[in-house]
Amino acid sequence: MQDLLQASGYRKNGKVWSHETTRDAFRYNDGDASEMRILDVMRLSADTSLFSKELERAITDWPSNYHLNPTRTNLFRPIKHLIRGPVLEIGAGAGAMTRFLGEEGHEVLALEGSPRRAATIAERCRDLPNVTVLAEPLQNFEIDQKFATVTLIGVLEYARVFFGAEDGQDAIERMLAKARSLLAPGGVLIIAIENQIGLKYLAGFPEDHLARPMVGVEDQYTQNGPVTFGKRELSHRVTAAGLPHQKYWFPFPDYKLPRFVLNEEALTADLPTDFSPLIRGATATDPQRPGILAFEQDLAWDVIARNGLQGDLANSFLLVSSDQPLAADDVMATHFTGGRDAQYQKLVRFVRKGERLVVEREAIQADNNGMNLSPLKINLEDEVFETGLVWRDIGKRCLLQDGWSVEHLANWTSVWKQALDQHLAGMGIPAPMQLQDRVPGSLLDAIPRNLIVGEKLSFIDLEWVYDQPIEFGYLMFRGLWDLISDTRAAATPAAGTPNKVGDLIFQIMEYLGYPVAAQTVIDYHAQEVRFHSSVTGRALQTNSADLLLTIGRRLNFADIRELQVQIQRLNAQNQALTQELEGERRKVRDMLDAVNGYSLRAG
C-alpha cells in the first residue's frame, strides 16, 4: 500500500501520509478544543485498543463519547464476514472503526480530509502495521488500487458540503461515483447514515447535523448542507451508482452507538419472532435524547412491528451493496452489551436454524481470565428463542397508565413471583420463600426483564451467576429496582401513591406479604451497587439517597399545550404590567418636569 501511495505522489510525514497540496484547513470538526483534546488523549494513552480503560476514562462529553466509546464498533460486528481487505475507510474520523478493522487483521487505508484527525487515527493505530493513514479529501484522492471493501460511515450525508454538483451530477451522485470507482469487482460498499424519517426524528429528536427537530422530516435541507434519506431513496441512489445488490441492517438506537442490529431478512423470515423488546431496550440507551418528545419510541415499536415497518422507520441504516449478488445470512439480529468491563462484554446472535430461532452467545473478548477470578460469572449457553410478553415491558406500561397504584404494581409483581416459585420448584426448592432465605446464585438475573409470559412462564437469558447463594429478598428488590429506578417519568398515579423509588419498593413488598425494614432495603441497594461495580469495572459509590429519588410526571400533548397556554398568558400579563409600569414612569417624569419648571420660575 505504501509503495502505491508513494507512486501516486504522496509522502509520509511522521505517522501520516499526505500530498504536498494538502492544506490544514478542513471545514468539518467538533470544535478545536475537542479535537485537540482527543488527539492529546491518543498521544498520552499507552493503550489505544478497542477496550482501553484509558480511553474510556477520557469520555466526558458527546464528541469524546462518539470517538472513544467501543460501542461504535458494534456496527461492523454483524457484517464482519462480508468485510475483506484491502479496506478503504473514507472519512475515518478519529479512528474508532479503523482500530476495529485493524484489530481484525485487515489491510486498511484510512482516508481522512482533516490532517489533525488523520494524526489522531495514526496515534490510535500506531501499533498496527496493517493500518496506513492518509490525510486527503476524497475528491482529491487518486491511487492505482481497487479495494475489496469501501466504507462511508457517517460520510455520505456531507456530500453536498464537500463535493458540490458538476457535469449534471449532484453531490450525492458524485460521492457515490467516486467511492464506486475505488471498489474492486465483487467488492462491497458499506454505508451508514441516519434515516430522514426515522422514528426518533418523528418523535422530536433534533436532526443530528443541524441540531433542530423536524428539519429533516420537513425536508428543509439546503443544496450546500448535510442531507439524509429514507430507505427507498437511498436504495435508488446506490443502485444508480452501479451497485444494485443491496442488503440492509438496522442499528438501534442508531448507527453511532448501536446496541441492537436487526437484519432486514428477519422482517420477511417465516419465524416466530418479535424483536420489539430488544429495539425498545436499545433505543432507551440513546445519549442524544432531548427532554420532551411528542411520543415515546418504546411505546410505538410494537405497533410498527405488527405493520412490518421496522426497516422504513429505523433511526438509521447500515447498507452493504455490491455489483454482485450478496449471500443470504442466517443471523437475523445481533444484540450487544454496553457499559461493562471488557471481561463481561458479549454479543448475542439470533440465528435461523430451520423453523427455529436459536439464541447464541459469545464473549467479545476471547481472553476472559479476569472473570475466572471473580465470584461473578456470565452464562454464555445457547437457548431457543421464546415468544411472548416481556414482563418488564408490561410493568412499564402499567406506570404509563393514569391512576396506577401500589396495588397495580403488586399484581404485576405477583406474576413474576409465581414464575419464581415455579422455577424454584423445578430446582427442588419448595415455596414460599422468606426474604432471608437463600436461593442459588444462578437466579441472580431471574427478574422481570428476563421473564417471558406466553403459553407458559419462562425465564430467558439468565446471564449473571454468583458462585454463592443470594438472599431471596435481594432478588425481589433487584427486580423491582430494575423497573422503578429506570422510570424517568410516569403517568399521574392514584391518590396516596408514593412517588419515591424506595417508598414504592417498600410498599409493594409489604403489600405482597413481605414487610421489610428500611435498613434492609438500604442494604439491598448497597448490594446492587456492588454488583454494578463488578460489571462495569468501576468502583461505584453507594448512595442511599438514590432510594429517595422521585419519579417525575410524564408530559403528554395536553400537558405541553397547557404549558404553552400558561406561557402565553404570563407573556400577556408581563406585557400589560410593562405597559402599566411605563405609564407610571411617564406620570413620574411629568411630575418631575412640572416641579423643575416651577423651581426655575421661582428662581
Side-chain angles (χ1 to χ4, degrees):
M1 183 68 69
Q2 297 193 4
D3 290 343
L4 287 170
L5 287 174
Q6 191 165 3
S8 300
Y10 296 105
R11 298 292 179 266
K12 191 174 185 181
N13 182 13
K15 299 182 178 73
V16 177
W17 287 77
S18 63
H19 197 276
E20 62 180 11
T21 60
T22 301
R23 299 290 180 262
D24 288 343
F26 191 71
R27 289 176 289 163
Y28 181 83
N29 68 63
D30 290 321
D32 288 340
S34 178
E35 299 269 338
M36 283 305 303
R37 177 178 176 271
I38 292 173
L39 174 56
D40 289 341
V41 166
M42 294 301 178
R43 286 171 171 164
L44 297 173
S45 295
D47 178 13
T48 60
S49 63
L50 287 182
F51 294 103
S52 164
K53 291 282 190 183
E54 292 173 274
L55 299 188
E56 180 185 356
R57 287 192 292 268
I59 296 175
T60 57
D61 53 17
W62 169 245
S64 58
N65 193 21
Y66 178 67
H67 291 300
L68 304 179
N69 194 326
T71 303
R72 275 201 69 196
T73 63
N74 291 343
L75 186 71
F76 277 170
R77 294 186 190 279
I79 61 168
K80 68 179 186 178
H81 61 289
L82 296 172
I83 300 174
R84 295 177 291 115
V87 178
L88 173 63
E89 185 189 4
I90 299 170
M97 309 305 283
T98 317
R99 183 75 207 191
F100 173 83
L101 294 167
E103 288 190 13
E104 287 292 309
H106 296 297
E107 182 183 10
V108 183
L109 177 59
L111 184 68
E112 173 53 49
S114 162
R116 181 166 54 195
R117 283 195 169 190
T120 303
I121 301 167
E123 289 294 339
R124 178 149 206 188
C125 300
R126 58 180 177 261
D127 59 330
L128 298 175
N130 51 320
V131 173
T132 302
V133 183
L134 173 61
E136 179 79 313
L138 173 62
Q139 57 268 40
N140 298 342
F141 178 55
E142 298 293 341
I143 191 173
D144 188 19
Q145 167 79 42
K146 301 294 183 182
F147 297 84
T149 303
V150 176
T151 73
L152 291 169
I153 308 303
V155 173
L156 184 61
E157 53 265 50
Y158 290 102
R160 290 179 178 176
V161 178
F162 298 111
F163 262 68
E166 187 176 290
D167 298 330
Q169 282 187 317
D170 71 15
I172 308 300
E173 291 173 326
R174 291 189 64 220
M175 179 177 278
L176 287 172
K178 180 69 175 183
R180 171 73 177 87
S181 71
L182 294 162
L183 194 62
V188 294
L189 173 65
I190 301 174
I191 297 171
I193 188 171
E194 294 85 354
N195 180 3
Q196 184 177 6
I197 51 174
L199 189 67
K200 65 187 283 187
Y201 305 113
L202 295 173
F205 274 68
E207 202 277 349
D208 291 75
H209 317 95
L210 303 174
R212 301 195 313 276
M214 299 302 167
V215 291
V217 174
E218 295 177 351
D219 206 21
Q220 296 184 39
Y221 294 124
T222 64
Q223 289 304 309
N224 59 357
V227 61
T228 62
F229 309 101
K231 181 172 178 288
R232 184 176 181 180
E233 185 177 3
L234 178 62
S235 292
H236 285 332
R237 286 183 171 274
V238 175
T239 298
L243 301 169
H245 301 282
Q246 301 168 11
K247 286 173 62 69
Y248 276 89
W249 283 258
F250 308 113
F252 296 94
D254 57 33
Y255 80 83
K256 294 182 285 296
L257 296 172
R259 296 286 294 276
F260 178 68
V261 182
L262 180 65
N263 185 346
E264 183 179 34
E265 293 182 36
L267 305 183
T268 55
D270 187 17
L271 290 167
T273 59
D274 179 10
F275 291 114
S276 300
L278 291 161
I279 294 175
R280 281 197 295 274
T283 55
T285 68
D286 197 326
Q288 295 178 294
R289 174 192 166 93
I292 296 178
L293 293 171
F295 60 86
E296 293 290 344
Q297 288 185 82
D298 55 359
L299 298 180
W301 282 112
D302 284 328
V303 179
I304 291 166
R306 290 200 300 269
N307 289 277
L309 296 172
Q310 301 101 308
D312 293 292
L313 295 177
N315 295 326
S316 63
F317 305 124
L318 174 62
L319 170 60
V320 180
S321 59
S322 178
D323 60 357
Q324 299 295 322
L326 298 165
D329 195 343
D330 288 330
V331 179
M332 298 292 98
T334 310
H335 181 265
F336 303 92
T337 56
R340 298 181 178 186
D341 190 64
Q343 63 181 320
Y344 295 122
Q345 294 281 1
K346 71 169 186 178
L347 62 82
V348 181
R349 296 187 185 92
F350 299 85
V351 184
R352 176 175 50 193
K353 294 191 175 181
E355 296 180 355
R356 297 194 311 165
L357 194 67
V358 177
V359 184
E360 298 180 350
R361 298 177 175 88
E362 175 186 317
I364 290 180
Q365 293 270 70
D367 181 9
N368 276 347
N369 290 332
M371 188 172 64
N372 296 330
L373 304 176
S374 169
L376 183 67
K377 308 290 191 296
I378 53 173
N379 173 22
L380 297 174
E381 293 180 2
D382 299 344
E383 60 187 352
V384 176
F385 185 86
E386 295 279 355
T387 59
L389 300 172
V390 177
W391 203 238
R392 184 180 187 269
D393 291 346
I394 303 304
K396 281 200 80 140
R397 286 189 175 273
C398 176
L399 288 164
L400 292 171
Q401 296 291 323
D402 284 336
W404 66 271
S405 66
V406 168
E407 181 181 0
H408 290 128
L409 289 176
N411 290 335
W412 168 81
T413 306
S414 65
V415 175
W416 167 45
K417 171 66 167 52
Q418 178 187 349
L420 280 174
D421 289 344
Q422 291 178 4
H423 197 84
L424 287 166
M427 301 175 74
I429 302 173
M433 304 290 291
Q434 301 302 312
L435 292 183
Q436 67 274 16
D437 291 341
R438 294 192 170 266
V439 297
S442 59
L443 296 183
L444 179 63
D445 232 15
I447 57 178
R449 74 162 54 240
N450 296 322
L451 173 61
I452 301 296
V453 178
E455 294 180 359
K456 59 181 180 178
L457 302 176
S458 305
F459 284 109
I460 62 166
D461 194 22
L462 301 183
E463 66 167 335
W464 295 113
V465 179
Y466 266 136
D467 62 6
Q468 55 192 359
I470 60 173
E471 279 192 27
F472 179 73
Y474 168 57
L475 181 58
M476 291 289 292
F477 169 87
R478 177 167 157 70
L480 293 171
W481 174 261
D482 179 64
L483 171 73
I484 297 171
S485 68
D486 191 49
T487 302
R488 296 187 185 92
T492 304
T497 303
N499 65 349
K500 288 186 173 60
V501 173
D503 289 345
L504 262 177
I505 294 175
F506 185 91
Q507 290 196 21
I508 292 167
M509 294 180 73
E510 188 173 50
Y511 189 97
L512 292 171
Y514 292 106
V516 58
Q519 184 58 51
T520 302
V521 172
I522 292 172
D523 292 342
Y524 289 155
H525 175 255
Q527 187 172 349
E528 184 69 2
V529 172
R530 290 194 295 273
F531 164 75
H532 284 283
S533 293
S534 297
V535 170
T536 61
R538 300 189 298 271
L540 305 176
Q541 296 300 313
T542 301
N543 186 356
S544 57
D546 291 343
L547 294 164
L548 301 177
L549 294 175
T550 59
I551 299 174
R553 189 166 71 87
R554 180 174 179 251
L555 297 177
N556 56 33
F557 274 132
D559 296 319
I560 295 170
R561 179 57 184 158
E562 178 59 29
L563 287 173
Q564 290 172 334
V565 170
Q566 290 181 21
I567 290 170
Q568 289 172 354
R569 187 183 304 121
L570 289 172
N571 285 337
Q573 291 174 354
N574 181 60
Q575 186 176 3
L577 288 171
T578 300
Q579 291 173 350
E580 183 179 345
L581 180 60
E582 183 58 34
E584 293 299 320
R585 285 174 174 166
R586 283 198 299 268
K587 290 179 182 178
V588 171
R589 285 198 298 268
D590 290 345
M591 292 174 63
L592 289 173
D593 289 344
V595 170
N596 289 334
Y598 175 80
S599 299
L600 289 172
R601 289 194 300 272

